[in-house]
Amino acid sequence: MPNLEARLDRLGITIPEAPKPVASYVPSVAVHSGSLVFISGQLPFEKGKLMATGRVPGQVSIETAQKCARQCVVNGLAALLGEIGSFERLRRVVRLGVFVNAGEGFAEQPKVGNGASDLLVELLGENGRHARAAVGVSSLPLDAPVEIEFTFLVD
Amino acid sequence: MPNLEARLDRLGITIPEAPKPVASYVPSVAVHSGSLVFISGQLPFEKGKLMATGRVPGQVSIETAQKCARQCVVNGLAALLGEIGSFERLRRVVRLGVFVNAGEGFAEQPKVGNGASDLLVELLGENGRHARAAVGVSSLPLDAPVEIEFTFLVD
Amino acid sequence: MPNLEARLDRLGITIPEAPKPVASYVPSVAVHSGSLVFISGQLPFEKGKLMATGRVPGQVSIETAQKCARQCVVNGLAALLGEIGSFERLRRVVRLGVFVNAGEGFAEQPKVGNGASDLLVELLGENGRHARAAVGVSSLPLDAPVEIEFTFLVD
């Protein structure tokens, strides 16, 4: 391994202070052991029906999209429970990939994602905090407004 | 770890039944041990040439996009073989990230993704089942219709 | 595990040669042990301000987008350092997810991503090489031109 500090110096790059957690997600999550569970991209199904369809914010408001993101968490937890049998085995939420059905210039992906992230922290406290990437995509399966994939750490 | 069931109750959230696997991909995959291999996003190259270019479904039909997704699997397996030397070390397909070059309102990402997922199950049986996120993106490298990234579990 | 070679034969599929590494990212990365660190999607903040906003290449040139990608690496390393305390624990860059704010027909995601990938290899040599998926998305948080998420392997 080369000396990273020396190379940073040579390139004139200063590493800023680590970002502070300002929301329900955190800049990073380390997985020290245990098993990872990868959950497929979840859509906001409720009782077998999508809560909403269409683009954010034109056809689906940010508030509704947040509720959809929250419902993706509910469905992601259902998939997790199907895999591990009991939530007692859950140790940590690791990562969320948040895809918002949104066109050019939409900038509020974090707000939408917070619908998911905030619920996870409300449910799991510190262990609910996770790394997250949130982006706007041109289209989603079944014209859903939000899709979220999850990685969990379990015992 | 807080008591998740109690908090779900307090928030009035009922976790639905775990989704049943209805296709070649599954709601979740647990990685219990072994090594993960991360494969870069694969494009549908065949003998050095993209099988198709452009958007789905306007310029590239869903059927062609499915064949492209299938070819991404072939190329992903090639990258895996280059990494691990023999398919005998392959234990499980863990995750697919499926990106379809598709505009507003396109809703058939799952159909396109099935071109990849079905081939993996045809090739690997139960061990070919995987978690998957499929989304429509505004553009892809070289104007490819599909890009797929893979995570495998190996011995 | 079914005999994959036999099934490939039966389906008439020939696995091509593994792709050669032609750039600062590689077709695959195997994670043999150690801990994974997942870093949230990073935006090109410099001293608290986005280096640029808008779409590539109309509002933000490819050159500027490359600089933004490079800055995402700087910020990703900052988040990593906040997590692990010292770069001496860093063993390998595992994966980059590169999201470029770009419309229909944009094909230069790899060039933009190289702004990030090349810096990682410049900094870390062989251990800086990583798997990568680069796609064009319809919009990004705060109208940033690039967002990058990272997975690192640490001791």
Side-chain angles (χ1 to χ4, degrees):
Chain A
M1 200 75 169
N3 185 326
L4 180 57
E5 271 94 356
R7 291 201 182 183
L8 286 166
D9 269 357
R10 203 186 321 146
L11 293 167
I13 296 172
T14 308
I15 298 294
E17 271 192 63
K20 304 271 178 295
V22 291
S24 290
Y25 74 99
V26 288
S28 62
V29 170
V31 173
H32 292 300
S33 64
S35 296
L36 293 173
V37 178
F38 293 80
I39 305 286
S40 286
Q42 299 294 311
L43 303 178
F45 279 108
E46 196 180 32
K47 299 176 184 163
K49 252 191 62 184
L50 282 178
M51 292 176 70
T53 57
R55 279 203 149 178
V56 185
Q59 299 162 283
V60 175
S61 72
I62 291 181
E63 291 68 32
T64 300
Q66 287 178 314
K67 283 181 196 148
C68 287
R70 188 181 163 99
Q71 188 63 24
C72 292
V73 167
V74 172
N75 295 335
L77 289 174
L80 176 67
L81 193 59
E83 179 75 41
I84 66 174
S86 158
F87 285 131
E88 290 188 10
R89 293 180 55 201
L90 174 56
R91 272 221 330 252
R92 179 85 203 246
V93 186
V94 174
R95 174 187 174 266
L96 264 60
V98 177
F99 303 97
V100 182
N101 190 343
E104 182 170 0
F106 181 71
E108 307 282 14
Q109 293 87 355
K111 265 197 201 159
V112 176
N114 286 348
S117 297
D118 290 350
L119 177 57
L120 284 167
V121 171
E122 206 172 352
L123 290 172
L124 294 163
E126 284 304 306
N127 302 302
R129 292 187 194 281
H130 48 268
R132 187 178 89 179
V135 302
V137 292
S138 50
S139 54
L140 283 176
L142 308 175
D143 203 21
V146 186
E147 174 176 338
I148 304 183
E149 65 170 344
F150 302 84
T151 310
F152 293 102
L153 183 68
V154 304
D155 277 327
Chain B
M1 200 74 170
N3 185 326
L4 179 57
E5 271 94 356
R7 292 202 180 181
L8 286 166
D9 268 358
R10 202 186 321 145
L11 294 168
I13 296 173
T14 308
I15 297 294
E17 271 192 63
K20 305 270 178 295
V22 291
S24 290
Y25 75 99
V26 289
S28 62
V29 169
V31 173
H32 292 299
S33 63
S35 297
L36 293 174
V37 178
F38 293 80
I39 305 285
S40 286
Q42 299 293 313
L43 303 178
F45 279 108
E46 196 181 32
K47 298 178 184 161
K49 254 191 62 185
L50 282 179
M51 290 175 70
T53 57
R55 280 203 148 179
V56 184
Q59 299 161 282
V60 175
S61 72
I62 291 181
E63 290 69 31
T64 300
Q66 288 178 314
K67 283 181 195 150
C68 286
R70 187 181 164 101
Q71 188 63 25
C72 291
V73 168
V74 172
N75 295 335
L77 289 174
L80 176 67
L81 193 59
E83 179 74 41
I84 65 174
S86 157
F87 285 132
E88 289 188 10
R89 293 180 54 201
L90 175 56
R91 272 222 329 252
R92 179 85 203 247
V93 186
V94 173
R95 174 188 175 267
L96 263 60
V98 178
F99 302 97
V100 183
N101 190 344
E104 181 170 0
F106 181 72
E108 308 281 13
Q109 293 85 357
K111 265 197 201 159
V112 175
N114 286 347
S117 297
D118 290 352
L119 176 59
L120 284 167
V121 172
E122 206 172 352
L123 290 172
L124 294 163
E126 283 306 305
N127 302 303
R129 293 187 194 280
H130 48 268
R132 187 178 89 180
V135 303
V137 292
S138 50
S139 54
L140 283 176
L142 308 176
D143 204 21
V146 186
E147 173 175 338
I148 303 182
E149 65 169 345
F150 302 84
T151 311
F152 293 103
L153 182 68
V154 305
D155 277 327
Chain C
M1 199 74 169
N3 184 326
L4 179 57
E5 271 95 355
R7 292 200 180 182
L8 286 165
D9 269 358
R10 203 187 320 146
L11 294 168
I13 296 173
T14 308
I15 298 293
E17 272 192 62
K20 305 270 178 296
V22 291
S24 290
Y25 74 100
V26 289
S28 62
V29 170
V31 173
H32 292 299
S33 64
S35 297
L36 293 173
V37 178
F38 293 80
I39 305 286
S40 287
Q42 298 295 311
L43 303 179
F45 278 108
E46 196 180 32
K47 297 176 185 162
K49 252 191 63 184
L50 283 179
M51 291 175 70
T53 57
R55 279 204 148 178
V56 184
Q59 299 161 283
V60 175
S61 71
I62 291 181
E63 290 68 31
T64 300
Q66 287 178 315
K67 282 181 196 150
C68 287
R70 187 180 164 100
Q71 189 62 25
C72 291
V73 167
V74 172
N75 295 335
L77 289 174
L80 175 68
L81 192 60
E83 179 74 42
I84 65 174
S86 158
F87 285 132
E88 289 188 10
R89 292 180 55 201
L90 174 56
R91 271 221 330 250
R92 179 84 202 247
V93 186
V94 173
R95 173 187 174 267
L96 263 60
V98 178
F99 303 98
V100 183
N101 190 343
E104 181 170 1
F106 181 72
E108 308 281 15
Q109 293 86 355
K111 265 196 201 159
V112 175
N114 287 347
S117 297
D118 290 351
L119 176 58
L120 284 166
V121 171
E122 205 171 354
L123 290 172
L124 295 163
E126 283 306 305
N127 302 302
R129 294 187 194 280
H130 48 268
R132 187 179 88 180
V135 303
V137 293
S138 50
S139 53
L140 283 176
L142 308 177
D143 203 23
V146 185
E147 173 176 338
I148 304 182
E149 65 170 344
F150 302 84
T151 311
F152 293 102
L153 182 69
V154 306
D155 278 326

